[in-house]
Structure formats: structure tokens, C-alpha cells
Amino acid sequence: MILFKPIMLALITQQLKNLLILLAAIIVILILIILLFSGKSKFRRLLSLFLEEQPEMGGEIPRRSEPAERAPVQKRQQPEEEFANQKRTSEPIVEMATLVRKSDDRLRIIESSGQVRMVDEYYELIFVTRKGQKLKIECSAEAYDKVPFNQPGSLTYRRNMLVKFKYYEDTVYN
């Protein structure tokens, strides 16, 4: 047995040692990839929070829930088939569109001194594109007042937020 070890070490050359080290490193890397990026991995769920763009979820990890335990919806919902599946990219999107509806949700508080203030203001414009798709776009109070009805123009929005609406007579910025 004692003579066997020096003979084995002599047979293993430097190139063979390097090859074995490389293979061991590849195996370790593959095991780490499988563990970190498997479907139910906590690391993958955490990574998806930063990579996926889901503003309506508020940064929570999606969970499966039974219908009985779902929270009630606070805002009034329009029929979903009426509106197009809007793109949720962080880059601005430009489309030719026409304003067909305005809606707002505001809470007005009147103090005993006569002071009036608005709380929880939400303004929404609904446009129809050339293809007939309806888009819900959030905007500021100033843009809400300035965008005209039935005026075709170039709509620029980012993540359902108005950037600008340029029509023949003027340009409205959010």
C-alpha cells in the first residue's frame, strides 16, 4: 500500500490535475445554478421582485390564495375585456390616440374655518388608439383639465402614466 501512493501520484500529471480541478469547479457551479434558480427557490422569488415590473402588486411576493381569503377590491373596476392589455415597460410608449373619457376620484374636506382641501386625488384619462384599443392613463390635475376631448394626437405614456399628449394646437405635459 505504501508503494502504491507514490506510483499513483507519479501517474497524475500537472495537466490531468488541472483538468480535474476544472471539472470539479464546473460541477460546483452547476449545482449552485440549480439550487439558486430552481422554480421554488427563495433567491429566485427575491430576484423576480427586482426584475419584473408589476406596479400593482406593491412589491409583494405573489402568493396563491383561496377565493375566500382574498381582500375586497377598493376601486371600482371596469370590465377587463373592454381595455387593451397595456404594456408595462419602463420605456415611454408613443401611440396615436383620441381622448374619449375622463374620470377622477377626489376626497374634498371642508374645515369649519371654510378652508377646502383635496385628499387622495386620482385622475384618469381613457384614450382610444387607431386600432380601437382603449388605454387607461393616469395623469395630474393640470393635464386632466387641459387634454381636450375628441382631438387626435400623439400620446406618450410610461407605465400607464401620462408623459405628454401632443395635438394640433398644443402639447400637454403631465
Side-chain angles (χ1 to χ4, degrees):
M1 249 340 199
I2 297 172
L3 293 175
F4 188 70
K5 276 189 180 180
I7 295 172
M8 283 298 289
L9 290 176
L11 291 177
I12 299 178
T13 64
Q14 186 61 33
Q15 290 176 345
L16 190 56
K17 285 181 187 177
N18 290 341
L19 180 64
L20 290 174
I21 291 170
L22 182 65
L23 287 176
I26 290 172
I27 289 171
V28 168
I29 290 172
L30 288 175
I31 290 172
L32 282 175
I33 289 173
I34 289 170
L35 290 176
L36 291 178
F37 296 102
S38 66
K40 295 181 181 180
S41 168
K42 290 181 183 180
F43 176 78
R44 183 170 176 183
R45 281 188 274 160
L46 180 66
L47 186 65
S48 70
L49 286 177
F50 296 106
L51 296 179
E52 292 180 8
E53 297 174 357
Q54 298 178 349
E56 71 275 357
M57 299 191 79
E60 294 179 0
I61 297 175
R63 295 181 296 157
R64 292 184 181 163
S65 61
E66 297 299 321
E69 68 178 61
R70 288 186 185 151
V73 177
Q74 293 181 1
K75 291 189 177 188
R76 287 173 263 155
Q77 297 289 325
Q78 296 290 333
E80 291 301 322
E81 64 273 355
E82 184 178 336
F83 296 97
N85 289 333
Q86 291 175 236
K87 299 175 184 174
R88 299 194 186 276
T89 64
S90 59
E91 297 176 9
I93 300 171
V94 180
E95 294 191 31
M96 293 301 291
T98 304
L99 180 67
V100 293
R101 187 184 318 156
K102 293 182 180 183
S103 63
D104 62 53
D105 188 13
R106 299 177 269 188
L107 175 61
R108 185 183 323 180
I109 298 175
I110 303 172
E111 302 290 336
S112 61
S113 63
Q115 180 183 7
V116 178
R117 62 186 170 116
M118 300 295 243
V119 181
D120 296 331
E121 297 178 69
Y122 176 78
Y123 299 95
E124 183 177 77
L125 302 172
I126 299 177
F127 290 90
V128 174
T129 65
R130 285 183 173 176
K131 295 178 183 176
Q133 298 174 331
K134 290 187 178 182
L135 300 173
K136 290 183 185 179
I137 306 294
E138 296 177 32
C139 67
S140 65
E142 295 81 26
Y144 180 83
D145 292 333
K146 290 181 181 179
V147 176
F149 281 105
N150 301 320
Q151 185 73 269
S154 172
L155 169 67
T156 305
Y157 65 98
R158 176 184 292 144
R159 288 189 181 175
N160 300 337
M161 221 28 206
L162 179 72
V163 175
K164 71 178 180 178
F165 182 70
K166 184 175 182 178
Y167 58 102
Y168 180 71
E169 298 163 2
D170 195 12
T171 301
V172 178
Y173 294 95
N174 197 18

